[in-house]
Amino acid sequence: MENIDQVNTLQRKARCRGIYRRRQSSWSQQATSQQQQDRESLRSDAHVDIQARYAPYALPSCHRRGNFQEQDETPVNKQKPPERRMERNRQDETLGSWFKIRVPFGIKYDEKWLLNLIHKQCSVPFTPVEFHYEKMEAQFFVQNANIASALKNVNGKIYNEANERISIFVDPCDAPHSVLKELRSEKVEQIKLPVKERYDASQQSRDIQGVRSDPGMATAAIVEQLLALDLSDKKPYQLHGLSNTMPNASNTKNWNLSNTEVKSAGEMDKGERLEPEGMCAERNPLCTTFPDKSTNISSILELFPKLLTLDDQETSPQAKCGIEACKRLPTCKGSYFGSDEVKSQVLQFLTLYYLIHDYGDRQVLAGAYHEEACFSLTIPFHPEDPAPSSLCEYFKDSRNMKKLKDPHLRVQLLKHTKRVIVHTLCGLPKTQHDLSSFVVDIWFQTETMFCFSVSGVFKEVEGSCQGCVRAFTRTFITTLTRYCSLCIMNDELFVRDANPSETQSVFCIPVPTPTSSSMHTLSQQQQDIMQASSTPSEMNL
Amino acid sequence: MGDKPVWEQTGSSFIQHYYQLFDNDRTQPGASYIDATCLTWEGQQFQGKAATVEKLSSLLFQKIQDSITAQDHQPRPDSCIISMVVDQFKADEDPVMGFHQMLPLKNINDAWVCTNDMFRLALHNFADLLPPLPDTIHTPPDAPNIIHK
């Protein structure tokens, strides 16, 4: 058992390392490309918000080129036909060397008037792409470093009718969304082609058998190709239909949502399962429109009605339990957060944690745990029920003191260190938590520590108990890192079967899947939760 | 018990004693609280020992029986212990209910006290799944006097 576990662990680690290696190589490619040199020459004078561009979990555009390049390295009999390589080259050119031109307070100026003014002063002709107004600025895109440089030189040389100087700022950026959209549909066709070929090539029986035996293989291939979707600087309407274009994008790992205009949660593509593993939503207007984080969370949490509507509202236990005449029992209140700031922080943490837990690689959760963290799992003990429980998948890790008498086994089942914890989490069934069912209690907090419990339900989504609904209560004891994110010191999980009547109600509230475009996650928080470094603990076990 | 780590011994003993006291007289566990204790009871918070005891006293049932179905204890980095209990109880003639309770413990002046108390009913009722409660009130074996008086 241990050897298999070790092999599985090594395989998972190798996969993770592979992902990180590709990311690192792609950054080094970017650093040496001519494109990077072009950008560097402009960056010194341009008003560049590098922080906004930094998206650690979104693969940069050159990685997409890397993917195509990797395909070129495949054996000859599997290489793409020449016309597809030409298409790919065109895509490479289209994706590269884009610059955003910003005119502060440009909202005052008519588009045609402003562009004419710039044309007159610019030493080279240019074609503005996607001219639009964003907040107080007029913005458009150009493709070509020379054009961008020429436009930069226009800065301060044009004046409005009031003889006020008009500034122009130039920022390197990724291809605008309309360009991406066009390329995306082409990409999907390219990706679908290998799958179609598999089905058409009936003589390639092995391929067909492979697809039939692993229906997810085709999906996985599509998803892997679409791994790096950069939606930065996109209008919300452009995200509609995205899931239709990529029906199997549910495992898409990296989304860069920075600067995505999200006027309200309702504008985003609801109801589609686009679950990113890594997200970067810095400067998302949804974040910056509201005065504080808690309001942001409130807006997002309108998507999770139970978390909000139960706050400070009483719900009778009878309604929940279906038990009559429980007059002596306390009435059930909703989540207790203490303060809006704490609420915001904890809910962000929980949302991100369960996003990754359910839809991502649980290995990534290692970043959320302290090096010396503890985790234990408990299921109920029924001494008079010898029949195998449907919770059998959890039984081997259950550390219920009520039942477990062997002291050595007790110690073993207290998972210590994040490496061991994550290994354990990866071995638990794949789940889908119903965030709308969550009830959160923040029962202790200091300036450096948050202790909270979350109760709710989840569904197992694979294995022998697929479809089974469980109820859980999980307690986290966390400390604040120097990045003001939460680092888990203790994690105690209790899992039980949900009542049959509750099973029917789970996932019934029509909220969008808590992911992607409707989510607000600070890239810094995400980075911290993944890479929460820890100083060696002084805890002595 | 000699083979158990200290947090397990302490946590198990505390829980046994706590529920024994609670079943007999629900104000008695107040002795294990400190002035800084906060009770989070079904989404309401009560700060301080007095408020906590008052809340427990205000519960309307006369008699309670309980049976622990799960408990677990972990050491915390600050030398405290976090104890988790899942319990089924029967208050007076009401149907059996389950609840979940978190009791962080801290050693103050060589006595273990409860610094917080979090209580949540198990609204996903598993009463139908559990065996019936024993007729007698739960009486644990003798536990060391670890409660701070």
Side-chain angles (χ1 to χ4, degrees):
Chain A
M1 175 72 78
E2 284 188 359
N3 287 338
I4 293 173
D5 287 345
Q6 287 173 358
V7 169
N8 289 337
T9 303
L10 288 172
Q11 287 175 344
R12 280 193 292 271
K13 285 185 177 175
R15 188 170 67 245
C16 289
R17 282 197 294 271
I19 293 172
Y20 291 128
R21 207 179 303 121
R22 285 197 292 276
R23 290 179 180 174
Q24 288 174 2
S25 68
S26 72
W27 278 114
S28 63
Q29 288 174 19
Q30 185 182 18
T32 57
S33 68
Q34 179 63 39
Q35 177 186 4
Q36 179 65 18
Q37 292 174 14
D38 288 338
R39 293 181 181 184
E40 286 298 334
S41 67
L42 292 169
R43 191 169 290 146
S44 57
D45 293 332
H47 176 69
V48 176
D49 186 351
I50 296 185
Q51 191 65 23
R53 295 270 68 80
Y54 179 59
Y57 302 104
L59 298 174
S61 58
C62 63
H63 181 79
R64 290 195 289 276
R65 289 199 293 280
N67 277 337
F68 295 124
Q69 289 167 6
E70 285 171 8
Q71 290 175 7
D72 280 333
E73 293 167 1
T74 55
V76 173
N77 63 344
K78 291 189 179 176
Q79 280 187 352
K80 307 292 182 297
E83 57 273 17
R84 298 191 63 212
R85 287 200 290 273
M86 286 173 58
E87 279 184 25
R88 199 166 49 246
N89 291 337
R90 183 184 77 78
Q91 290 174 2
D92 291 347
E93 291 173 2
T94 308
L95 287 172
S97 298
W98 282 95
F99 298 87
K100 178 190 280 190
I101 314 302
R102 297 186 298 114
V103 180
F105 305 107
I107 199 169
K108 298 189 295 187
Y109 311 123
D110 174 74
E111 175 185 346
K112 195 172 177 184
W113 178 88
L114 179 62
L115 289 174
N116 281 341
L117 190 66
I118 297 173
H119 272 294
K120 286 178 187 173
Q121 196 64 35
C122 186
S123 58
V124 298
F126 65 93
T127 303
V129 177
E130 277 192 35
F131 184 97
H132 63 281
Y133 298 103
E134 186 171 313
K135 293 182 182 169
M136 300 297 288
E137 293 183 344
Q139 298 181 359
F140 60 92
F141 299 90
V142 295
Q143 184 185 13
N144 189 282
N146 291 335
I147 295 175
S149 181
L151 285 169
K152 184 175 76 77
N153 290 332
V154 176
N155 180 34
K157 295 177 182 170
I158 53 176
Y159 298 83
N160 64 12
E161 288 164 342
N163 209 31
E164 294 166 333
R165 190 171 297 184
I166 298 177
S167 299
I168 292 182
F169 295 130
V170 178
D171 304 315
C173 66
D174 294 314
H177 57 77
S178 57
V179 173
L180 268 183
K181 186 179 178 183
E182 183 184 343
L183 289 174
R184 194 181 305 123
S185 55
E186 291 176 11
K187 236 192 264 183
V188 169
E189 291 308 312
Q190 289 176 14
I191 291 160
K192 283 181 179 174
L193 184 58
V195 177
K196 188 171 180 300
E197 283 174 346
R198 287 182 190 280
Y199 282 104
D200 287 349
S202 56
Q203 65 272 22
Q204 297 178 17
S205 58
R206 276 188 305 168
D207 287 343
I208 292 176
Q209 286 299 323
V211 171
R212 284 178 181 168
S213 63
D214 184 7
M217 190 168 74
T219 301
I222 293 173
V223 165
E224 287 299 320
Q225 293 290 340
L226 298 174
L227 201 61
L229 278 175
D230 188 352
L231 300 176
S232 55
D233 303 318
K234 304 302 174 290
K235 289 291 194 314
Y237 57 84
Q238 302 233 335
L239 294 174
H240 284 301
L242 192 63
S243 56
N244 294 330
T245 306
M246 297 169 293
N248 296 310
S250 58
N251 290 329
T252 301
K253 293 192 185 300
N254 293 295
W255 294 76
N256 183 350
L257 294 173
S258 58
N259 295 325
T260 303
E261 282 190 28
V262 181
K263 295 298 187 296
S264 72
E267 288 191 27
M268 304 311 292
D269 196 356
K270 287 185 183 177
E272 299 295 343
R273 297 176 56 85
L274 303 174
E275 292 91 23
E277 178 180 282
M279 294 170 51
C280 168
E282 198 167 23
R283 290 208 312 160
N284 184 319
L286 188 63
C287 309
T288 56
T289 303
F290 299 102
D292 58 85
K293 288 184 204 176
S294 62
T295 316
N296 286 340
I297 283 295
S298 294
S299 300
I300 292 162
L301 288 179
E302 287 173 6
L303 303 172
F304 307 93
K306 279 193 183 179
L307 280 173
L308 280 185
T309 57
L310 285 181
D311 277 4
D312 300 323
Q313 293 178 18
E314 295 187 2
T315 307
S316 65
Q318 295 91 314
K320 287 286 183 183
C321 315
I323 297 175
E324 296 179 355
C326 294
K327 295 186 177 56
R328 298 179 187 81
L329 293 173
T331 50
C332 170
K333 277 188 171 284
S335 298
Y336 180 81
F337 293 102
S339 71
D340 285 345
E341 188 178 346
V342 172
K343 174 180 177 179
S344 168
Q345 190 140 18
V346 168
L347 289 180
Q348 285 185 48
F349 170 85
L350 286 174
T351 308
L352 187 57
Y353 185 93
Y354 281 105
L355 271 178
I356 297 165
H357 184 276
D358 288 348
Y359 305 112
D361 184 353
R362 290 179 186 173
Q363 288 280 349
V364 180
L365 292 174
Y369 288 88
H370 190 277
E371 189 60 49
E372 300 291 331
C374 285
F375 168 78
S376 59
L377 163 68
T378 306
I379 62 175
F381 170 59
H382 308 300
E384 298 181 13
D385 180 12
S389 167
S390 69
L391 293 170
C392 51
E393 290 293 326
Y394 302 93
F395 180 78
K396 64 182 184 339
D397 290 308
S398 175
R399 195 175 171 267
N400 187 352
M401 301 284 114
K402 178 84 175 181
K403 177 182 185 300
L404 199 59
K405 304 301 180 188
D406 181 349
H408 299 293
L409 197 52
R410 281 182 172 185
V411 172
Q412 262 190 342
L413 291 175
L414 177 61
K415 310 298 180 182
H416 175 228
T417 74
K418 65 173 165 184
R419 182 187 62 83
V420 174
I421 292 172
V422 169
H423 175 71
T424 302
L425 294 178
C426 290
L428 294 176
K430 198 162 169 56
T431 57
Q432 182 187 353
H433 286 72
D434 183 3
L435 266 68
S436 67
S437 71
F438 281 13
V439 175
V440 180
D441 283 303
I442 299 176
W443 44 268
F444 180 71
Q445 67 175 96
T446 64
E447 287 184 356
T448 57
M449 179 184 280
F450 289 168
C451 304
F452 52 95
S453 298
V454 54
S455 300
V457 294
F458 66 86
K459 189 164 56 178
E460 292 190 26
V461 295
E462 68 179 19
S464 59
C465 294
Q466 184 175 358
C468 288
V469 179
R470 317 290 188 195
F472 78 97
T473 299
R474 192 162 191 165
T475 296
F476 293 100
I477 294 178
T478 64
T479 54
L480 281 175
T481 70
R482 59 177 178 271
Y483 302 109
C484 297
S485 67
L486 300 182
C487 177
I488 304 171
M489 303 296 304
N490 293 83
D491 180 358
E492 220 166 33
L493 172 62
F494 176 77
V495 179
R496 58 184 183 267
D497 283 318
N499 181 285
S501 62
E502 299 295 337
T503 300
Q504 293 171 7
S505 66
V506 73
F507 299 106
C508 281
I509 295 180
V511 294
T513 305
T515 63
S516 69
S517 49
S518 60
M519 290 282 303
H520 136 69
T521 305
L522 296 175
S523 63
Q524 189 63 38
Q525 164 118 12
Q526 176 202 357
Q527 183 182 1
D528 296 338
I529 211 171
M530 300 305 149
Q531 298 177 0
S533 58
S534 57
T535 55
S537 169
E538 295 179 356
M539 181 171 68
N540 182 9
L541 290 179
Chain B
M1 283 188 61
D3 291 334
K4 285 187 193 176
V6 62
W7 64 86
E8 286 185 25
Q9 295 179 41
T10 306
S12 300
S13 300
F14 184 95
I15 293 300
Q16 284 182 342
H17 197 73
Y18 179 94
Y19 284 102
Q20 182 185 17
L21 294 177
F22 190 91
D23 291 351
N24 288 330
D25 175 358
R26 57 185 174 271
T27 64
Q28 287 188 16
S32 63
Y33 297 128
I34 55 176
D35 290 339
T37 294
C38 278
L39 167 67
T40 306
W41 180 277
E42 282 295 317
Q44 278 186 296
Q45 195 169 72
F46 302 87
Q47 296 194 2
K49 180 175 178 175
T52 300
V53 173
E54 184 182 348
K55 175 60 184 178
L56 296 178
S57 303
S58 69
L59 300 175
L60 297 176
F61 55 84
Q62 299 299 319
K63 186 179 72 172
I64 189 168
Q65 302 174 77
D66 77 279
S67 176
I68 295 174
T69 57
Q71 61 170 305
D72 192 11
H73 313 277
Q74 285 187 14
R76 274 169 48 176
D78 51 355
S79 301
C80 296
I81 297 170
I82 180 72
S83 294
M84 182 275 296
V85 174
V86 179
D87 192 300
Q88 57 168 335
F89 71 97
K90 181 178 170 65
D92 293 331
E93 302 307 320
D94 289 341
V96 173
M97 285 287 296
F99 70 86
H100 187 275
Q101 193 164 12
M102 299 298 303
L103 295 167
L105 309 178
K106 184 173 183 176
N107 189 305
I108 298 179
N109 298 329
D110 290 330
W112 287 93
V113 297
C114 189
T115 59
N116 290 88
D117 189 345
M118 193 222 68
F119 177 96
R120 274 283 176 187
L121 287 172
L123 296 179
H124 301 281
N125 182 32
F126 52 80
D128 292 337
L129 306 176
L130 292 176
L133 284 171
D135 293 332
T136 56
I137 293 176
H138 175 63
T139 51
D142 290 339
N145 183 12
I146 59 173
I147 306 300
H148 179 66
K149 298 290 183 188

